[in-house]
Each structure stands twice: as structure tokens, then as C-alpha cells.
């Protein structure tokens, strides 16, 4: 038997789902809702960072709606829209000085009665800015004062006190997210541009990070000459602690010696292993990659074998050893398929 708290959570889940699904019905059956949504989405697109008109969109709200507005701004900025959040009190005391008549202002208030927002209306109308109101109340003062009203589902707050804006926070945020997605579609916003705004995120790394940035190179790269003794190989192996050494002649890559190769040599030759030179027990045909690959492509190469490669030598077009990639470094950098 379910606990009362769990039963209530299930009921709220159903309530939230119905409230969100209200948008589907509105899009399908309400031409006015559709038109206003498209109008606002197009206005947001004109505020694109790549647009030469230098238009901006300002989101204004108080309370929990302010937090929704701030998240909406954050999302829009991440997809290249010039958006700002302004608290109405700060706006009333000077922060709206940068607003011009080419700009767009979005006011969010579930009940449409926020006095902090209402006091801004005359000044905004005087500036001839485009005002959009997001509210659930068609007969509210804000809805009546604005030319463009985009409605939030008029559902009760599914809160034990019937006061906390639980439902309206979800539905107003959903509407903002739908607008964000619409701006991406309208502009055919490329993932490369999105990645430029997220260079440290997973998408940015997939598109821009080169494997060269992760490889062991320079003075940290463990190299041994082909004629070095087994003892010297062990010494260099221990000194660098990179799980392998690259065997070279001058700069030319000849082979790889991994921990497995060391064990195999010792098992095969016993005490005579110390008489061997590096080129006599190295892996002469390891899989290698060229420098300049995207990190994600190098990672795909490492994962192409089962089990995956733990490391790959990086060899340039002239056959020179220039680096070594380890699976550990990809994991540390957060690279994944």
C-alpha cells in the first residue's frame, strides 16, 4: 500500500503532465496562441548575436517567476540570443536606461497583477518597445495593458497550501524552453556555434578539442633509442611512469614497449632478458594515429578494439614520434562518445 505522501506525489505528477499538455492543445487548436508564440519567437531571433541590428530582449519578473526568467535568459544567451534579465525594482531605478524602441521586453507574471511590473508599463509604452506578457489570467491588468499576451496554462497550484507557485513555475519555464527551441529551429542554429558558447562543455570538446591537447609530448614523452638495453628501458619506464615508452631511431618511430611487452619478454627470455635491446622485444606494429585529430575521433579509434586500446602512439606524416595518447587522459578530460 502506497504511503499518502507517495500518492500525493503521483497525483501532482499527473497534474503537472496535464498542465504541460495544455500547450499541445493550444498549439493545435488556438490560432491566436500560435500567432503570438511565433511573433515572440521571431522577435527573439531578431535579437541574435549575429544580427547587425543590435536588438536586445529583456526579461522582467519578480519572485519565483524571476528565477524562471533568469533561466530563460541563460538558455537564450547560450544559443546566441542577446538577452538580459532585469529586476523590476532596478529597472524602475535606472536599469531600463539602455532599452530602446527597437528592443523587446518580456514580462512574466502568473496572476498578471504584479505591481512591480505594472508600474513599468507606462514607461515602456512611451519608449514604444514591443511588450510581451506571459500570464495565465486573460482578465489581469498586465494582460489588458499589453498588445501581445502569451498564455500560461490556467491550472491551480498543486501545493498542499494552494499558494506556492509549483505548477505555474513548471509551466512558465516550459513555455520559455519552447521559445528557446523555436529560436534554434528558426535560425538553423548550427551546433558549431553552440559549441563556441560552451568551449568547456562536452559539446565544445567534441567539436573543438584536438587530441594534441591531451597527448603526452615534449619533455614528458618517454623515448628510448632502439639500441638501449632492457635495463635502460626499465629505468626510463619507471622514470616517466606513462605506462609505455616509444622506441625511436633519431626521431623516427620504430615501435612501442608497454607493460605487457615487458612481461612477455621476461617470461620468454628469463635472465637473458637483460641482454636484449629495445628493438628486439618492442611491438613493431602498434596502431598509431596522426597528430591534429579531434579528441573525439582519437577516442573513437581507441574504442574501436575490444578491449579498447589503453594508449596510442602519435606519429606524424614523416614517421616521427610526436606524442602518446592514453585512455586515462580522455577520461580525465571528460571525452566520451
Amino acid at each position: 500500500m502506497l504511503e499518502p505522501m507517495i500518492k500525493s506525489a503521483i497525483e501532482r505528477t499527473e497534474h503537472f503532465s496535464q498542465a504541460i499538455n495544455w500547450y499541445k492543445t493550444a498549439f493545435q487548436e488556438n490560432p491566436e496562441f500560435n500567432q503570438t508564440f511565433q511573433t515572440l519567437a521571431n522577435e527573439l531571433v531578431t535579437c541574435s548575436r549575429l544580427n547587425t541590428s543590435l536588438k536586445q530582449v529583456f526579461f522582467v519578473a519578480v519572485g519565483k517567476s524571476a528565477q524562471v526568467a533568469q533561466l530563460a535568459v541563460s538558455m537564450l544567451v547560450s544559443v546566441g540570443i542577446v538577452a538580459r534579465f532585469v529586476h523590476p525594482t532596478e529597472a524602475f531605478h535606472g536599469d531600463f536606461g539602455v532599452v530602446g524602441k527597437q528592443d523587446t521586453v518580456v514580462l512574466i507574471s502568473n496572476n498578471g497583477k504584479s505591481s512591480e511590473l505594472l508600474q513599468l508599463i507606462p514607461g515602456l509604452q512611451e519608449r514604444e518597445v514591443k511588450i510581451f506578457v506571459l500570464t495565465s489570467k486573460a482578465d489581469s491588468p498586465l494582460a489588458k495593458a499589453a498588445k501581445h499576451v502569451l498564455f500560461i496554462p490556467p491550472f491551480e497550484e498543486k501545493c498542499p497550501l494552494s499558494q506556492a507557485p509549483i505548477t505555474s513555475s513548471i509551466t512558465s519555464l516550459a513555455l520559455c524552453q519552447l521559445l528557446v527551441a523555436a529560436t534554434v529551429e528558426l535560425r538553423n542554429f548550427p551546433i558549431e556555434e553552440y559549441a563556441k558558447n560552451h568551449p568547456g562543455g562536452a559539446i565544445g570538446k567534441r567539436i573543438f578539442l584536438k587530441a594534441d591537447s591531451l597527448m603526452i609530448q615534449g619533455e614528458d614523452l618517454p623515448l628510448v633509442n632502439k639500441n638501449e638495453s632492457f635495463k635502460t628501458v626499465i629505468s626510463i619506464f619507471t622514470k616517466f611512469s606513462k605506462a609505455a615508452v616509444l622506441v625511436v631511431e633519431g626521431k623516427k618511430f620504430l615501435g612501442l614497449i608497454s607493460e605487457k611487452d615487458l612481461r612477455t619478454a621476461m617470461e620468454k627470455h628469463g635472465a637473458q632478458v637483460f641482454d636484449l635491446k629495445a628493438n628486439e622485444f618492442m611491438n613493431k606494429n602498434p596502431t598509431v594515429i596522426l597528430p591534429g585529430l579531434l579528441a573525439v575521433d582519437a577516442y573513437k579509434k581507441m574504442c574501436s578494439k575490444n578491449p579498447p586500446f589503453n594508449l596510442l602512439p602519435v606519429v606524424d606524416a614523416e614517421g616521427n614520434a610526436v606524442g602518446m595518447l592514453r585512455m586515462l587522459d580522455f577520461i580525465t578530460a571528460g571525452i566520451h562518445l
Side-chain angles (χ1 to χ4, degrees):
M1 184 175 178
L2 293 175
E3 294 289 337
M5 178 178 66
I6 301 302
K7 291 180 65 176
S8 295
I10 293 172
E11 291 173 1
R12 289 192 183 94
T13 301
E14 293 174 347
H15 177 80
F16 297 154
S17 297
Q18 292 171 7
I20 293 293
N21 203 50
W22 181 93
Y23 287 121
K24 177 181 177 181
T25 303
F27 282 123
Q28 292 175 333
E29 301 177 4
N30 190 332
E32 185 177 353
F33 180 89
N34 274 343
Q35 183 59 52
T36 306
F37 181 89
Q38 292 178 65
T39 300
L40 179 51
N42 284 316
E43 282 298 318
L44 294 174
V45 167
T46 64
C47 299
S48 167
R49 179 176 59 82
L50 302 178
N51 193 305
T52 57
S53 66
L54 301 179
K55 293 181 63 174
Q56 304 178 86
V57 58
F58 296 85
F59 280 72
V60 188
V62 293
K64 301 300 182 290
S65 293
Q67 296 176 34
V68 170
Q70 290 176 68
L71 181 54
V73 166
S74 178
M75 290 291 295
L76 287 167
V77 169
S78 76
V79 295
I81 301 298
V82 183
R84 291 176 57 184
F85 170 76
V86 180
H87 192 279
T89 302
E90 300 301 326
F92 202 62
H93 289 278
D95 277 14
F96 261 180
V98 296
V99 178
K101 67 179 181 179
Q102 78 276 16
D103 294 329
T104 300
V105 175
V106 179
L107 308 175
I108 305 178
S109 173
N110 181 51
N111 62 21
K113 298 177 182 180
S114 171
S115 59
E116 295 94 335
L117 301 186
L118 285 168
Q119 68 182 350
L120 297 176
I121 295 293
L124 293 174
Q125 292 174 332
E126 184 179 350
R127 291 169 187 251
E128 299 180 4
V129 301
K130 294 183 178 68
I131 304 172
F132 289 81
V133 168
L134 275 54
T135 183
S136 66
K137 308 296 183 183
D139 59 349
S140 66
L142 273 177
K144 293 177 180 179
K147 180 179 179 181
H148 305 287
V149 180
L150 194 56
F151 288 107
I152 299 167
F155 278 61
E156 66 173 313
E157 303 292 1
K158 198 64 172 176
C159 163
L161 303 175
S162 299
Q163 296 297 317
I166 294 177
T167 307
S168 60
S169 294
I170 293 173
T171 53
S172 56
L173 178 58
L175 180 55
C176 290
Q177 299 288 38
L178 290 170
L179 287 164
V180 171
T183 69
V184 174
E185 289 180 338
L186 285 170
R187 292 175 295 150
N188 293 317
F189 189 65
I191 194 169
E192 292 79 9
E193 286 295 321
Y194 183 79
K196 288 178 182 178
N197 297 335
H198 302 76
I203 294 177
K205 289 176 181 177
R206 286 179 64 86
I207 294 177
F208 296 114
L209 184 65
K210 294 293 183 68
D212 300 26
S213 299
L214 301 178
M215 72 181 183
I216 300 165
Q217 56 188 309
E219 295 182 355
D220 294 325
L221 183 63
L223 301 174
V224 296
N225 185 274
K226 67 174 186 176
N227 294 317
E228 296 288 1
S229 67
F230 184 86
K231 181 179 179 181
T232 301
V233 171
I234 291 290
S235 177
I236 294 175
F237 207 102
T238 304
K239 175 184 176 181
F240 284 86
S241 298
K242 302 299 184 184
V245 297
L246 306 185
V247 183
V248 297
E249 183 176 22
K251 294 182 178 179
K252 296 294 182 180
F253 175 75
L254 299 179
L256 170 75
I257 298 175
S258 66
E259 292 177 348
K260 179 182 178 181
D261 298 315
L262 292 175
R263 290 194 303 270
T264 300
M266 288 187 288
E267 291 170 358
K268 181 178 180 180
H269 297 282
Q272 283 70 45
V273 73
F274 289 97
D275 298 328
L276 298 178
K277 298 185 184 300
N279 66 334
E280 294 177 318
F281 63 94
M282 69 183 183
N283 179 354
K284 298 179 180 180
N285 296 296
T287 299
V288 302
I289 63 169
L290 289 166
L293 289 180
L294 288 174
V296 68
D297 291 333
Y299 183 67
K300 287 178 182 177
K301 183 74 172 178
M302 297 192 80
C303 295
S304 63
K305 184 181 177 182
N306 188 17
F309 294 106
N310 285 324
L311 54 88
L312 287 177
V314 183
V315 181
D316 67 18
E318 286 72 43
N320 298 318
V322 295
M324 184 168 66
L325 287 165
R326 301 180 302 172
M327 180 65 77
L328 173 64
D329 299 316
F330 285 92
I331 295 172
T332 302
I335 302 298
H336 57 81
L337 300 179

